[in-house]
Amino acid sequence: MSVTDEVTGELTGEHLAGLARIRAQAEAGPGEQATRAQHARGKLTARERIALLLDPGSFQEVEQLRRHRASGFGLERKRPYTDGVITGWGTVDGRTVFVYAHDFRIFGGSLGEAHAAKIHKIMDMALSAGAPLVSLNDGAGARIQEGVSALAGYGGIFRRNTRASGVIPQISVMLGPCAGGAAYSPALTDFVFMVRETAQMFITGPDVVSAVTGAQLTQNALGGADVHATTSGVAHFVYEDEETCLAEVRYLLSLLPSNNRQNPPVHPSDDPANRLTSTLYDLVPQDGNQPYDMHKVIEELVDDGDWLEVHERWARNIVCGLARLDGQVVGIVANQPQTLAGVLDISASEKAGRFVTMCDAFNIPIVTLLDVPGFLPGADQEHGGIIRHGAKLLYAYCNATVPRVSIVLRKAYGGAYIVLDSQSIGADLTFAWPTNEIAVMGAEGAANVIFRREIAAADDPEAKRAEMVKEYKSELMHPYYAAERGLVDDVIDPAETREILIRSLAMLRTKHADLPSRKHGNPPQ
Ligand SMILES: CCC(=O)SCCNC(=O)CCNC(=O)[C@H](O)C(C)(C)COP(=O)(O)OP(=O)(O)OC[C@H]1O[C@@H](n2cnc3c(N)ncnc32)[C@H](O)[C@@H]1OP(=O)(O)O
């Protein structure tokens, strides 16, 4: 019996039975054997993934019965329902979320014309409803048999990703080998999650790489989760298995607004707003050269010590994450003194710049914790474009209109001080701990430059150098120099840091700031 036979005539039990048969066929997909093969690869099916992502029973599928109309290469004899992508919406913690999930069992999850049209529709629905879009990616890129139609399909996705950027959160979850367009679209979204071992992203797969360059690489060596989490910076989050990964996607969604016209959800906490953070006295050593773990400082400051670190394993000299202060979501940017002394370099600038832009787009106030010796010197950095990349971070902060509060914990030198949300680039409130040093450079370096002649002419150059360093420190390297000039708003007791942050952000909640009218800026790329 054909589909048409099932649905013509007056509604009878036969019709409903026919519909149920078609639904069952569409939901089963290509069958048990294909499902077993998917599981044998260590992967869940698209429907199993959607069930883990969304609140139970909330998924409403769209275009389940769509099939391709392509021909050639035997396609006309293989026209499965869904065309290899499951699309629809549901809820996460009761809030609407749109989703599409590749079904790798059908044409390797590759994208043809019908498959693309389904994704276009769901993206348009998400944008018009003002709700986040989550893609569960497990697809081989453009469907080779559909040629340019498949390529055009990807063009439509990229255009929609870009149009939706900064309007609704877009989250890409990589759960299988994702090639070509299946890797490009995620790069245009706000966050990329990957599962170790089973997920890969590459523009061209190992076979093409081998044919063109001769290099023999496994899929994971070319574009596995570890590569993208540590080296390329493409992946923001990596998890061991799909269950944990999808649970963390739900956590991220709980920290984001549904769209750029809303604020992130508030989750009141029992952690007192005026809790003293006295452990910071011991966590942060007085000696500016002593390393410590900035993660511990963040955990001490935020509600219940809970936060979600973004790009945890890439550019570890800077830490970015989302947390709550008195129930309100904040984005935190902080130097990490235990990695490269917390210096700013190319990767750190790119990482923090993108994070600041994301926070600004989604109405997330930014807290910056500074302990920075400066920019990393060296030919590698200069030739790699540190000027251009550092400018991305500067541009992101200068452009951000959300509430911005910065605190200098220990030291902040030179251009890195300016870039990391100094008052002069628009921080709303800036504070400093009593022990800190804000200056053009460290005292030793400064003395060597400005007292070079005196040191060289002295009978005991080392003693003279020590004397000059001491003089420079006592004249300039204390927070009161900046406070007297109004360049920090106050010098604060570290134990009061949480309370002051919460008071400041509460005051800034009604902040309104506009940028000059323009089509868009021309940010450094
Ligand atoms: C926007 C421009 C673009 O997207 S260009 C990118 C075009 N895509 C590619 O070059 C990727 C080609 N495919 C691959 O490299 C591999 O299939 C990858 C994705 C690495 C997966 O490998 P593996 O896990 O071993 O699976 P497999 O090769 O057995 O494939 C499973 C079934 O899917 C099919 N498949 C794969 N790729 C495509 C494709 N692009 N178009 C159409 N079908 C594709 C395979 O033929 C295979 O099918 P079957 O199960 O044997 O019927």
Side-chain angles (χ1 to χ4, degrees), residues 41 104 107-108 110 140-145 151 154 177 179-181 219:
R41 288 180 162 104
F104 190 81
F107 303 120
S110 63
R143 189 171 298 161
I144 295 164
Q145 301 92 318
L151 299 180
Y154 266 123
Q219 288 187 16

Side-chain angles (χ1 to χ4, degrees), residues 446-500:
N448 285 340
V449 174
I450 59 177
F451 302 121
R452 186 184 302 144
R453 281 192 204 84
E454 289 89 330
I455 292 169
D459 293 339
D460 182 348
E462 280 319 307
K464 187 71 181 170
R465 191 190 320 275
E467 180 195 330
M468 294 291 103
V469 165
K470 199 169 163 205
E471 183 181 325
Y472 185 82
K473 274 189 174 168
S474 66
E475 282 286 316
L476 217 80
M477 298 196 69
H478 51 75
Y480 303 102
Y481 187 88
E484 282 167 20
R485 286 158 181 78
L487 295 173
V488 296
D489 292 295
D490 207 356
V491 180
I492 61 169
D493 179 341
E496 292 169 359
T497 305
R498 172 176 161 86
E499 184 178 4
I500 286 170

Side-chain angles (χ1 to χ4, degrees), residues 86-154:
I86 319 281
T87 58
W89 77 88
T91 58
V92 170
D93 297 330
R95 297 158 70 214
T96 300
V97 171
F98 287 79
V99 60
Y100 71 85
H102 297 137
D103 187 342
F104 190 81
R105 301 170 307 166
I106 297 175
F107 303 120
S110 63
L111 176 141
E113 194 176 21
H115 180 123
K118 286 183 68 175
I119 296 177
H120 295 170
K121 182 179 276 186
I122 216 72
M123 293 179 84
D124 291 342
M125 289 170 83
L127 190 59
S128 116
L133 175 73
V134 178
S135 62
L136 304 179
N137 298 275
D138 187 3
R143 189 171 298 161
I144 295 164
Q145 301 92 318
E146 294 200 35
V148 70
S149 303
L151 299 180
Y154 266 123

Side-chain angles (χ1 to χ4, degrees), residues 2 35 50 73 75 108 135 167 177 189 198 203 233 282 286 302 320 329-330 361 388-389 416-418 427 492 495:
S2 75
T35 302
I50 291 172
F73 308 101
L75 280 180
S135 62
V167 182
T189 64
T198 47
I203 299 303
D282 298 325
Q286 299 273 317
V302 304
C320 298
V329 176
V330 291
R388 186 162 54 81
H389 296 291
Y417 156 70
I418 307 173
I492 61 169

